[in-house]
């Protein structure tokens, strides 16, 4: 069936640098995508979302880019901080009730 | 404002035992979900509910049952626990079918 996946399971970034986490999706009909952050021992927390009628959306230090041509989603984190260490999940709206989740990318911040 | 609260946070069961996980939300959300999370995998939907008195199966419903007798509560039951059900379980809720999901802190279940 349709799936959402991530290119890299682990990403190591120097503190202060920008981080880019990638996600591929396969359902070209998907119209809504969302990024979550999960810190160790906690539940996922919403970061940012984007609808398919947009290419880019910015939040506080985060930007999501959507490329519908190649079915690719990315999350950019500016000036990465130690508190950004977490597992990041992308999710795709599957129906009015369900999201399909990627496997996650672990972001490690090097001091 | 507590948000989404799960109890218990930890539980160890023997194979064949039964238990119930409770999820409570105080945001008046219509939609509630139960997910399981296994190492190296994303969240997989077990069951969900679109309103009081309704439930529906998700991706991996076998071995689990749910009930939504009150709008604020969503219960996940294991009638006869199996080692394959060792996992971290997350409850989530939201206003409607789209938008932000609010998650609980998780319930870690070990079945021996």
């Amino acid at each position: 069936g349709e799936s959402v996946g991530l290119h890299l399971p682990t990403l190591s970034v120097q503190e202060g640098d920008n981080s880019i986490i990638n996600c591929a999706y396969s359902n070209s009909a998907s119209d809504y995508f969302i990024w979550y952050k999960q810190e160790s021992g906690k539940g996922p927390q919403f970061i940012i979302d984007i609808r398919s009628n947009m290419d880019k959306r910015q939040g506080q230090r985060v930007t999501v880019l959507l490329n519908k041509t190649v079915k690719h989603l990315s999350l950019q984190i500016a000036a990465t901080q130690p508190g950004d260490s977490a597992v990041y999940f992308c999710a795709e709206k599957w129906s009015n009730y369900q999201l399909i989740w990627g496997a996650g990318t672990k972001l490690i911040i090097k001091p | 404002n507590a948000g989404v609260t799960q109890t218990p946070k930890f539980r160890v069961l023997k194979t064949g035992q039964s238990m119930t996980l409770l999820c409570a939300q105080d945001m008046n959300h219509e939609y509630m979900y139960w997910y399981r999370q296994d190492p190296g995998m994303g969240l997989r939907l077990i069951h969900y509910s679109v309103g009081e008195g309704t439930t529906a199966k998700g991706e991996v419903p076998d071995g689990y049952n749910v009930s939504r007798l009150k709008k604020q509560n969503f219960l996940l039951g294991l009638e006869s626990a199996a080692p394959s059900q060792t996992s971290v379980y997350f409850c989530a809720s939201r206003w409607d079918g789209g938008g932000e999901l609010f998650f609980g802190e998780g319930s870690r279940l070990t079945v021996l």
Side-chain angles (χ1 to χ4, degrees):
Chain A
E2 304 286 3
S3 65
V4 176
L6 297 178
H7 294 309
L8 296 173
T10 303
L11 178 65
S12 293
V13 175
Q14 201 73 36
E15 183 178 348
D17 287 352
N18 296 336
S19 301
I20 300 176
I21 300 171
N22 296 304
C23 180
Y25 66 94
S26 56
N27 183 3
S28 56
S30 292
D31 62 359
Y32 178 75
F33 305 87
I34 193 165
W35 282 98
Y36 280 82
K37 173 186 180 183
Q38 185 177 26
E39 296 177 7
S40 181
K42 295 187 177 181
Q45 286 184 298
F46 172 85
I47 302 174
I48 193 168
D49 59 0
I50 188 168
R51 299 201 178 276
S52 59
N53 60 354
M54 302 172 70
D55 297 322
K56 177 179 179 179
R57 189 165 188 218
Q58 288 185 292
Q60 203 169 23
R61 273 201 314 119
V62 295
T63 300
V64 55
L65 299 177
L66 177 61
N67 186 331
K68 295 181 286 293
T69 302
V70 295
K71 291 184 283 188
H72 184 267
L73 194 67
S74 68
L75 177 71
Q76 300 180 0
I77 304 173
T80 310
Q81 303 169 358
D84 295 327
S85 291
V87 177
Y88 290 82
F89 293 94
C90 65
E92 168 187 13
K93 182 180 174 183
W94 180 247
S95 71
N96 284 339
Y97 313 119
Q98 296 188 37
L99 295 173
I100 298 297
W101 296 76
T105 292
K106 185 174 183 178
L107 180 62
I108 298 172
I109 312 304
K110 296 182 286 186
Chain B
N1 188 341
V4 179
T5 303
Q6 294 181 227
T7 52
K9 290 184 170 44
F10 301 94
R11 184 73 187 269
V12 178
L13 290 176
K14 294 181 179 178
T15 297
Q17 287 185 317
S18 63
M19 74 157 296
T20 300
L21 296 176
L22 171 63
C23 177
Q25 52 94 4
D26 61 2
M27 297 172 282
N28 201 35
H29 285 172
E30 289 292 337
Y31 291 62
M32 296 187 75
Y33 303 80
W34 274 109
Y35 289 93
R36 62 176 289 173
Q37 185 176 42
D38 300 298
M41 299 182 70
L43 294 164
R44 291 186 292 168
L45 183 64
I46 304 171
H47 286 281
Y48 63 99
S49 168
V50 300
E52 182 179 314
T54 74
T55 63
K57 294 180 180 179
E59 302 169 68
V60 289
D62 294 343
Y64 305 95
N65 57 75
V66 288
S67 65
R68 183 101 181 267
L69 298 179
K70 293 183 179 181
K71 186 177 183 179
Q72 63 268 34
N73 296 336
F74 195 30
L75 279 63
L76 177 71
L78 285 73
E79 289 187 350
S80 180
S84 61
Q85 294 177 304
T86 294
S87 188
V88 181
Y89 292 85
F90 286 99
C91 177
S93 70
R94 63 177 162 199
W95 285 109
D96 57 21
E100 181 183 352
L101 271 171
F102 292 82
F103 282 86
E105 294 287 282
S107 298
R108 184 175 295 275
L109 175 66
T110 302
V111 183
L112 303 175

